[in-house]
Amino acid sequence: MNEAVFSQIAMLVLLTGLIVWMGIIVWDLAKKSRAGKFGTLALFIVLGAGVVGFIVKTVMVEIMNL
């Protein structure tokens, strides 16, 4: 295994862990602030938009081979 393969695998695993951790933090924030169903949904949509944007960008770069 060379450095490039290790970096690719590590990036995938660690980024997935970071996204899951951010989801847990948002869930805890919603519970502690007693946001309710609509507030929790709004938090996940607004704060999750950055994650979705990052994933879409990564997929587009892979498809376009840039």
Side-chain angles (χ1 to χ4, degrees):
M1 177 183 299
N2 60 11
E3 191 268 334
V5 173
F6 177 76
S7 294
Q8 187 72 18
I9 293 171
M11 180 74 122
L12 181 66
V13 170
L14 293 176
L15 241 127
T16 303
L18 179 64
I19 290 170
V20 169
W21 181 248
M22 287 179 5
I24 292 169
I25 290 171
V26 171
W27 178 259
D28 187 51
L29 177 66
K31 281 179 64 175
K32 285 184 179 178
S33 67
R34 291 183 258 162
K37 290 180 183 178
F38 180 74
T40 302
L41 181 66
L43 281 170
F44 272 103
I45 288 173
V46 171
L47 296 175
V51 173
V52 172
F54 180 78
I55 292 170
V56 168
K57 179 197 69 103
T58 304
V59 170
M60 288 179 67
V61 166
E62 288 298 320
I63 289 173
M64 296 173 69
N65 293 323
L66 294 177

